Amino acid sequence: MGRYLPIRLLKHMFLTILVVSSAYILSMIASVPRSNFPDIYVAEARGHIYLRLVAQIGNTTFSPTNTTQIRLQETPPIALSNTSQYQPLLASTESTNKSVIEYRQQTTACSGISNIAFIKTHKTGSSTLRSIINRYGLARNTSFVYLKESKNGHIRYSRLSNSLRKKFLPPIGGTSNIGRRYNMSTVHIRFSREFFDTFMTPETKYITIIREPVEHWLSVISYFNFKRYAPEDVRKKSFEDIAAYLAINAETVQKKTRGSNINFFRNNQAFDLGLSHENCRDPSKVENYVKYLEGQFELVLINEYFDESLVLLRRAFCWSWSDVLYISRNVQSRTHSLKNETIRGLIRQNSMADQTLYDYFNKTLWRKISEYGPEFQSDLTYFRNLLEQVKDDCNVHVVKKLGKVFYQLNKDRSTLCRELLANDQINRIMHRQKSPPKKIAPGKTLVQLPIDRNEPIVSGPREPRAIRDARVACDNDPTCKKIDFSLQPDGRIKIITYRTRRNL
């Protein structure tokens, strides 16, 4: 024993050191502020999106050998406030023996909203929002409101009537467009709740998006080439000079406009949302109509606060974070600015209805953000980090052509990346609803009502006569085993065939 310590004593010393060091490491982890979990890497494996979290503790970076993968769809932002609805759960993975902190949203009673009428306004970032809703609807096989004879399904400023409704594509699997059986609308169409109620499902939620009036007007006059209404010498000047001329001579330019351009030049956003040009000039009617719209819309998104709006949308519709991921669409490559505050004030005056609309719903947005709770900022930070990491993971690069900004990715990117940049959403939607309903072969029905031959057939008090006669006929036929029915798109049950087995 002289020179060597007993083995038992060495074991006790080792265990003591292990316990003390473990307690110290755990205390360090518990004291880590949430800002030390900034790095999120997004990847896709086997069709699912995963997160890799790298936690930085002090000056030491901890990362498992095989980076732990966590499902994104159930992973909310890291929000550990006492009032937050999110709580950390310990979870282990099959790939490693290490434990990680997995942040999941607590199970709620809500289910994802899939009956949505998006009133698509012009030049407000609505194409990006449309792609989000289209992607959600395509994944859930919903029926969209689309015009038959249109390349993009838009209805625009057509007269809202029953004759127009007959020009809609039928819902999926149907041959008729009569009845309230459409789940989604994402096309350009003026808002009229009375008209929408004739074809949208009763539980439909309404949303729209608006933009700051001056920036919106500058985008409109550029996109729709309103400089052609200015004198030739003005057209040769800078964009700011052209905008100043159009704003100063708004009444004269308005009279020169032709076709649908007359609806774009002044108060276009209020007009898209159903307010007539005549009422746009009356401040009291504008204020009353804006208050009416608040009762009609579940959410009015704001272009300048697009990410904030999507965070609110996600919670309101009980969607996952992957449902609101996006890559911008239909962005103009040239950005126009107007620094003259006098002209900017004149534009606001010319667009009085749009300005009233924007001011009201901008305040409404921030009230909803305040009601969201203290975790809103953490949710927003998480969402923006996620968007950046998705762009990196998808290897998105910018291409400018034809006056627009396009985003492209490598051909070997994941399914998620391809869906975020899919340019065929409209074609896929229209193809599904143009396709005739599938014919159901005998023996392959949607609803099967087998008959138990050991029990007597008892007809219900509301049983259709055709079904009752089929049951009785089968009961009197010793070779009949069961009756097959098919649930038709119009809600009726159709008898398809009798299944029989005859003795040979």
Side-chain angles (χ1 to χ4, degrees), residues 347-364:
I347 294 170
R348 294 189 185 97
Q349 182 179 340
N350 293 337
S351 304
M352 182 270 295
D354 277 3
Q355 190 65 52
T356 303
L357 181 76
Y358 182 83
D359 290 343
Y360 188 90
F361 283 108
N362 188 31
K363 293 179 181 178
T364 302

Side-chain angles (χ1 to χ4, degrees), residues 50-51 64-71 90-102 104:
Y50 295 88
L51 298 182
T65 304
N66 296 322
T67 306
T68 304
Q69 295 180 332
I70 304 174
R71 285 182 183 271
L90 288 177
S92 60
T93 63
E94 296 179 359
S95 59
T96 71
N97 294 324
K98 298 179 181 291
S99 294
V100 297
I101 298 179
E102 181 175 354
R104 290 187 177 180

Side-chain angles (χ1 to χ4, degrees), residues 17 34 65 81 254 275 393-394 401 411 444 476 483:
I17 294 172
R34 47 185 293 117
T65 304
S81 63
Q254 183 80 35
L275 190 62
D393 186 67
C394 293
K401 60 180 180 181
K411 294 182 179 180
K444 293 184 178 180
N476 294 330
I483 306 172

Side-chain angles (χ1 to χ4, degrees), residues 218-237:
L218 294 176
S219 179
V220 164
I221 64 171
S222 172
Y223 185 82
F224 293 106
N225 193 29
F226 270 90
K227 72 177 182 179
R228 66 181 182 270
Y229 298 111
E232 186 175 356
D233 59 324
V234 176
R235 277 180 263 166
K236 297 177 181 179
K237 296 182 179 180

Side-chain angles (χ1 to χ4, degrees), residues 123-142:
K123 310 312 300 174
T124 58
S126 59
S127 295
T128 301
L129 184 54
R130 183 193 194 189
S131 70
I132 294 173
I133 301 173
N134 283 350
R135 188 176 74 239
Y136 188 89
L138 280 167
R140 288 155 183 82
N141 212 38
T142 59

Side-chain angles (χ1 to χ4, degrees), residues 446-504:
L446 300 178
V447 179
Q448 292 187 348
L449 304 179
I451 291 179
D452 188 348
R453 298 194 57 78
N454 297 323
E455 297 181 2
I457 297 176
V458 179
S459 299
R462 297 183 180 180
E463 186 179 43
R465 181 176 179 179
I467 295 179
R468 182 187 64 211
D469 292 345
R471 289 177 182 272
V472 173
C474 186
D475 185 61
N476 294 330
D477 183 358
T479 63
C480 181
K481 298 297 181 183
K482 67 177 179 179
I483 306 172
D484 291 345
F485 302 90
S486 175
L487 182 63
Q488 301 299 295
D490 57 5
R492 295 181 300 177
I493 296 178
K494 180 180 178 181
I495 300 173
I496 295 297
T497 185
Y498 295 109
R499 282 192 171 179
T500 59
R501 181 178 296 168
R502 301 183 181 279
N503 296 326
L504 299 178

Side-chain angles (χ1 to χ4, degrees), residues 22-34 36-37 55-58 62 80 90 99 101 103:
S22 299
Y24 175 75
I25 292 174
L26 289 175
S27 64
M28 289 285 291
I29 294 175
S31 64
V32 174
R34 47 185 293 117
N36 285 344
F37 292 87
Q56 296 179 353
I57 303 179
F62 294 87
L80 302 179
L90 288 177
S99 294
I101 298 179
Y103 296 88

Side-chain angles (χ1 to χ4, degrees), residues 172-183:
I172 295 175
T175 57
S176 172
N177 52 18
I178 304 300
R180 301 180 64 177
R181 290 179 286 118
Y182 290 95
N183 307 108

